[in-house]
Amino acid sequence: MLRGGLGHCAGARGAAGQEHRGQDSGEQGDRAGGQVADSAPPPARRAEGEQLASTFFEAAAGGDMDALLGMLAPDVVFHGDGGGKARAIGRSVTDPQRVAQLLTGGLRRLRTLGAALRPAWINGRPGAVILDAEGRVASVVELDIADGVVQAVHSVSNPDKLGHIGPVSDIARLPER
């Protein structure tokens, strides 16, 4: 369930702010591991992004595959970054159906664990902070929106990249080797 309005999280982009679309998750760096800061875009773009993100996350959380697929670009890319320390998708996912299944399945699992989404701006883009049942940061998700659809989803669950946002959850942490 979504709670509240979009907060502000901004984070480091890759070298020279370059786009990371189409690269494997290990190459995407700190794409969505944002810092808490004001990074919201101009009001018109902000309102459009907030509306699409709200609808997108509601559809994903509710398992509405048709609505979700209608918001994904045909060449959408999902990037995950667990840094080898948290559960995450190891390779980019590019098929809209697979991305939608990944999102709905992941949010369904998180919901059973008592996790919640807090809408936020990540790197100047709409997204969400995923909080565990105790309100600790489990993950950050950034949506790359263009032409009214989600072009890419960047998810960071690497605890090393989340600590500056707040207390970090161990909900996705992998066992130490």
Side-chain angles (χ1 to χ4, degrees):
M1 178 62 58
L2 294 176
R3 297 185 198 172
L6 289 177
H8 305 285
C9 291
R13 293 187 188 275
Q18 68 195 30
E19 179 58 46
H20 296 282
R21 190 174 170 160
Q23 296 176 345
D24 286 340
S25 61
E27 298 172 343
Q28 73 174 330
D30 292 329
R31 178 75 183 167
Q35 296 178 16
V36 176
D38 186 3
S39 65
R45 196 178 119 214
R46 178 185 174 98
E48 178 184 352
E50 286 180 359
Q51 178 58 47
L52 183 59
S54 177
T55 304
F56 179 85
F57 285 118
E58 288 289 346
D64 187 343
M65 293 292 286
D66 290 335
L68 196 55
L69 286 168
M71 291 180 267
L72 295 173
D75 60 344
V76 66
V77 179
F78 181 98
H79 301 282
D81 178 4
K85 297 182 179 186
R87 289 180 185 89
I89 300 303
R91 291 185 171 256
S92 297
V93 176
T94 57
D95 176 66
Q97 183 75 31
R98 289 183 57 216
V99 170
Q101 290 170 339
L102 175 66
L103 289 164
T104 58
L107 290 176
R108 182 175 41 251
R109 173 163 164 55
L110 288 169
R111 192 172 47 248
T112 65
L113 297 172
L117 292 173
R118 183 183 76 205
W121 283 93
I122 315 293
N123 293 325
R125 294 189 170 128
V129 176
I130 298 175
L131 303 169
D132 70 9
E134 286 80 38
R136 297 173 298 182
V137 179
S139 182
V140 177
V141 180
E142 171 192 336
L143 302 178
D144 184 357
I145 298 172
D147 302 322
V149 294
V150 175
Q151 303 287 329
V153 179
H154 303 273
S155 175
V156 174
S157 55
N158 181 346
D160 294 342
K161 297 179 181 178
L162 300 173
H164 59 277
I165 298 170
V168 177
S169 174
D170 60 359
I171 197 170
R173 193 176 299 268
L174 295 173
E176 301 260 343
R177 293 182 184 177

